[in-house]
Structure formats: structure tokens, C-alpha cells
Amino acid sequence: MTGGGLNFELRGKKITFEHPHRWKLRHHPVMRRGKRVMIIILDGWGEQIADEYNGIHVAATPTMDELKKTAPDRWRLLRAHGLSVGLPSWEDMGNSEVGHNALGAGRIFTQGAGLVDVALSSGKLYEGAGFKYIMSAFAKNTVHFMGLLSDGGVHSRSDQLSLLMKGCAERGAKRMRVHILLDGRDVAPGSAPKYIDILEKDLAGIRKMGCDAMIASGGGRMAVTMDRYENDWGVVKKGWDAQVKGEAPHKFPTAGDALKKLKEADAKLDDQYFPPFVIVGSDGKPVGPILDNDAVVSFNFRADRMVMAAKAFDLEKFDKFDRGKMPKIKYAGMLQYDADLDLPKHFLVAPPLIEKTSGEYLVHNYVRTWACSETVKFGHVTFVWNGNRSGMFSSSLEKYVEIPSDKGIAFNEKPEMKAIAIAEKAKEALLSGKFDHVRVNIANGDMVGHTGDPKATVIGCETVDKAVKIMLDAVEEVKGIFLITADHGNAEDMVKRNLKTGKPVVNKQGKTEVLTSHTCNPVPCIIGGPGLAKGVRFRKDLPEAGLANVASTFINFHGFHAPWDYEPTLVEYDEKEK
Ligand SMILES: O=C(O)[C@H](O)COP(=O)(O)O
Ligand SMILES: [Mn+2]
Ligand SMILES: [Mn+2]
């Protein structure tokens, strides 16, 4: 077990004082210790008008329907977007990182998007060590920017890229190259040309400032660079080859041409799956390979899909693929993506410091934890849940299990994903009696929802329901307690809607538009199980509660009062039932 000390300075020295009772939680007067608790996170499972565009509603979900119908005081909605999860505005949809951070930490922390906004607007970013580090390339070499080009606000924001590039030009950068990753997942499919136009205008403005600036390479985020949790290193290698070596199967004079020609060749190609391409000059040579003494900035603030690339760029020893001749570069992340691994070593903005998470409290109070998901969400219920912290708090009290995800396919091809396998493993863990806290993430609503394929999404949601049933049966068998919730919406909205009326938007061609992104919808939170004392029900005085209120709630289920600084518990006890 680590951390938890009181840090202070005494006559210039850093002192850490470990208070023995710092982690001890008070016993709850009503909810007793020793119950087995199952926490089920349904990724991308929000609440929306029950119509034909709601993938969850269209799906047959008898288990989830029954829970909603039969225990009204144990079913409620929670906020999972905007300020309730530390994002800059209520217009920001939720996402896995901020959602799982709030769920695991029991408090709301200002997240990467907001921290970068402040660092840029205050100018603090330009005073930091990370910026000074990349500045060495300004006068004679190239500064490369690599990241997701959209205003989705989940992994990155194009307005932040634009400000950062201008800031670099104002401070003397003479040559810039941008390596773009097309989105179509956090923003509308087919919207990539719009973001390229904006970027090209920005670059033209920067050229007027005397800086040679242009796009150098590109590709869709799911095919190039932005893999996560080491599911497929081939994706990162494709990015490396295009960005660093200037090698890709497709070469074009501009990014606009790349989009046009590749789409002409395959009309079904979505932004997120575009193959890698490089931009070449009239001599046929790539305009922006990464060379010795160049600086590289990955401008995504979110970690999960940039950590793998960061390893390739930052680590001296690296064996995941052959990097070829490694250029001597100055690499910095917009944020540090993994503080425990010190990755990357250089960064422009310090990440949120999320400490004293529920997972750490549980081990200090001898609650044995088992956490599981399939690869594509594995870090969500471990690393992100624990406040972006690698590894376990206690190897004797915790076990984390990863079920390998399917590789190299879009998830509408196998919408069942690994939901049943995760449920079976969770059941085994609960029945084993070796764990008190069993926590899973079931990915289908989100991963299949992102493909924008309504039929596959329905199959995905039906599989989720079956998985939930398996786990609830196990809870029944051990007389345990369950808590089901979600990290944000996705599958409940397969169409772009008018935000005021909730009606689908019809475009000029008279068609509705597919929604591949998350939503701003609330998510359900459901509690129950034979182990939950009879009078325990949701409080009525927290109508605006959000994901950060969940941790106190399950800490109660384990028999403890929550830490004093956590958001309040969602439950109360009916005195008459005592
Ligand atoms: O990374 C992704 O797949 C999407 O941008 C966001 O999805 P997530 O927040 O559910 O991971
Ligand atoms: Mn998610
Ligand atoms: Mn998602």
C-alpha cells in the first residue's frame, strides 16, 4: 500500500508523515461489513426517449427493464457529463476517462481539457519546463504536432492546437508540421474535411508570421496511432511509419486531396478508419518526416489512447515494433499521460492530481477487490478508476483480470464482444468468497455504439443484458449487494437529435444523421440484492447527483462511512424498517 501521508515542508525539507488512522473508515451503523458487493459499469449506457433511435430501448433487455419497473426507490438517474465530471461546460458530453475518474475518486476534479484551457489562456503553459524543452527546436529545426483533430473535447480540442501553434510561432518557431488523426467518433462521421479546412486556415495564418507550417501526415484514429491498453501495436506502428519515417501506402499533395481520393476509392470509409497517408511535395518526398533535433508534441490531453505512442516516442528501450533508426527528438505530451511511469518525461501541462481514491481506501480497510474488463476497457476499471494510477494498491488484497478483446475489427462485426466472458469470470470471483468488491466494465454499449451501426448496437445491448443477468444471479446466490451504473451515454442515441425537442435532426437530403459519439444524457444507477438492508433506498434530496456520488454509496455497502471529503452517498435508511 502506498501514499496517504501528510506532506509538508519543514525548514526547506519535504516531510511525509504517515498517520496510522488516516485511512481508517468509520463503521456504518446500519450497513454491516462483510457483504459481497458487485459493481457493474455499463460503458456508454444512458437514458433517452424510448424511440426507434434508442439502441437500448429497441434491444430486448428484460433484466434491466425489470430492475427499473420493480424497485422505483432503488433506481435513479445520475449526471454523467459536463461540470458533474470536471469538464469545462455543460455542453461537454461525458467520456470514459472523466466518468471512471469520478466513479472511483468520489470527488470531481478539473480534468485535462479544463487544465489546458487555463494554461493556455493564462500563458502559464509557455513558462513551464515542458515548453522550454521543445523550444530548443524553434530556431533551426521542426516542431511536430500530433493528435486527434476535432473539437470533440474527449481526447483533444482543435482550438487548443490552434492556440498552441500560434503561441509557438510567436515565440520563434520557424517550421511546423502537423500529423493529424481523423475523428468521426467523438464528432459526426464525415466531418473531417471541416476540421482540415479550419486547420489549413490556421496554418496559412501561421505562415504569414514567417513560419513554414503545413500538414505532414494523417490517418483515422482507429487505424493509426490511437490504440489503447496495448490491444494492437500494429496501429501505433502505422502512425510511426507515416509520422516519423514519412512512409505510408498512400501519398497526396494535401490532406484535402487525401480525404477526397480515399473516399472516392471506398465510399463506406469512415473518418475514424482512414488508412495512414503522407503528404508529399512536388518532388514526391514526404514534407515532414521527424528528424534529429526536431521537437514532437502530442497534443491530446487524454492519456489512454496516447500512452502507447508516448512509449514509442519517449522510451529508450522499446521492443513493441521496429522503430528503425530512432531520431534524437525532444518529445513532450500536452499532459503527462502516466505519472507512475513518468511518461512522457516532458509535458506542457501537469495532469490532475487525483489522490485518495476509493480503491486505495478499500485496501486500507481490508476490503478485497477484484476488477475486470476486456482489453479495450481494462484500464478504465483499474488505471482510470484509481485516479490514473498504474498497478495495484495491494497485490495481496487486489486482483485485476483482463480478458483479451477482439483485434483488428470494428466492433459492429462482433457486437457481443467479451461481455459474457467477463460476466462468467465476475461470477466465479464473487462465488469464490475470496473477494468482497467485484467490479467490471461491460463495453458493448459504447464500443458498438461508436461504430454508428444501429443493428449491431442492439445486439450489443442485448448481450449486455444477458451478462448483467449472469452477474445478478451470482449476487443472489451469495446474498450480496449490487450497484449498476454507466460512465456516460452512447448506445441510447444512435441519431443526431435536436437538443431542445429531442427529435431527430433531418438534413437537407431528408435523412437523419448517424450519431457515433457519446451523449450528454444522464445514466441509470440501480442498487439491490438480498444483502442490501431492507430500508436502504435512494435519497430524494440529491436530484442533481452525479457519478462522483457513487463511491460513497458503495463504500457504505461495504459497511463503512465514506471519507468526509467525498461527494455525499446516494442512499438513506428508512428508520421504520430498522
Ligand atoms: O476513445 C474513444 O473510444 C472515444 O473517443 C471515447 O470513448 P470512451 O470515453 O468511452 O473511451
Ligand atoms: Mn466509456
Ligand atoms: Mn466511448
Side-chain angles (χ1 to χ4, degrees), residues 431-442:
L431 299 190
S432 74
K434 291 185 194 151
F435 303 100
D436 313 292
H437 179 95
V438 170
R439 176 170 83 232
V440 298
N441 174 300
I442 305 286

Side-chain angles (χ1 to χ4, degrees), residues 43 94-97 154-155 185-186 221-222 228 302 304-305 377 380 446-447 450 487-488 518:
D43 214 296
N95 69 68
S96 288
E97 180 180 53
V154 174
H155 294 270
R185 186 174 175 91
D186 299 327
R221 54 176 286 175
M222 296 305 279
R228 69 177 158 208
R302 176 162 150 178
D304 60 351
R305 290 192 184 276
K377 298 284 176 185
H380 291 23
D446 184 63
M447 294 303 287
H450 276 305
D487 56 343
H488 52 77
H518 297 170

Side-chain angles (χ1 to χ4, degrees), residues 95-166:
N95 69 68
S96 288
E97 180 180 53
V98 300
H100 286 79
N101 272 171
L103 286 164
R107 289 146 297 156
I108 303 165
F109 292 85
T110 302
Q111 293 282 340
L115 296 172
V116 173
D117 282 342
V118 172
L120 280 166
S121 62
S122 66
K124 283 267 186 304
L125 184 146
Y126 304 112
E127 292 161 19
F131 189 76
K132 297 206 169 110
Y133 180 66
I134 60 161
M135 272 181 94
S136 68
F138 281 13
K140 294 203 180 95
N141 301 92
T142 305
V143 190
H144 298 262
F145 297 93
M146 185 259 288
L148 185 65
L149 185 70
S150 79
D151 58 1
V154 174
H155 294 270
S156 67
R157 281 216 328 263
S158 47
D159 61 323
Q160 294 177 346
L161 168 66
S162 161
L163 283 174
L164 181 59
M165 289 192 308
K166 276 186 206 128

Side-chain angles (χ1 to χ4, degrees), residues 42 45 56 61-69 75 464-465 468 484 524 526:
L42 307 182
W45 191 282
I56 299 171
T61 52
T63 305
M64 292 296 286
D65 295 349
E66 185 73 9
L67 291 171
K68 185 172 180 180
K69 247 191 334 219
W75 189 102
V464 170
D465 196 72
V468 169
I484 307 172
I526 313 155

